[in-house]
Amino acid sequence: MNNPVIWFELYVDDMPRARAFYERMLGVTLEKLNSPDSLAGIELWAFPMAMDRGGAGGALVKMAGVRPGGGGTRVYFACTDCAVEAQRAVEAGGTLFRAKMSISEYGHIALVHDIEGNLVGLHSMQ
């Protein structure tokens, strides 16, 4: 059985600012996705993903009527050492919510608010 999550979306108001934040924090380049005609007016920028591998792909999304911010869902990004990405998040204009902490045999996490107000997690085994 595969992992149940296959896609995530982080909603933003200021796409250039949000893209710059995530690209700097994670050390990646996001890729513009074409919106189907049925979704006119939606801007999507995808995180790097391999369609033939496990795990979830996802995108930053700017869409009228949908606001960024804290909610009942949290996305965790895989890292080598989550303290490094947490520091990059702060340097990119985000805020540290919880510094790197152990989650026992499951590794470590850190929590940051992105530049749009979304609370996201960073996970690493070291």
Side-chain angles (χ1 to χ4, degrees), residues 40-107:
I42 297 176
E43 184 179 357
L44 298 105
W45 286 82
F47 292 89
M49 61 184 157
M51 297 299 289
D52 61 339
R53 295 197 172 169
L60 298 178
V61 180
K62 183 174 180 182
M63 180 174 158
V66 182
R67 305 284 307 152
T73 303
R74 183 165 310 131
V75 172
Y76 283 83
F77 292 96
C79 307
T80 301
D81 179 350
C82 62
V84 172
E85 283 79 358
Q87 180 59 39
R88 285 188 198 151
V90 171
E91 292 168 0
T95 58
L96 183 64
F97 181 77
R98 183 171 299 247
K100 180 179 177 179
M101 65 179 193
S102 173
I103 53 171
S104 187
E105 69 267 23
Y106 305 108

Side-chain angles (χ1 to χ4, degrees), residues 8 18-31 45-49 58 60 77-79 85 88:
F8 66 87
R19 278 185 48 222
F21 174 84
Y22 280 97
E23 288 179 342
R24 182 169 178 189
M25 178 177 73
L26 298 174
V28 299
T29 300
L30 277 64
E31 176 184 342
W45 286 82
F47 292 89
M49 61 184 157
L60 298 178
F77 292 96
C79 307
E85 283 79 358
R88 285 188 198 151

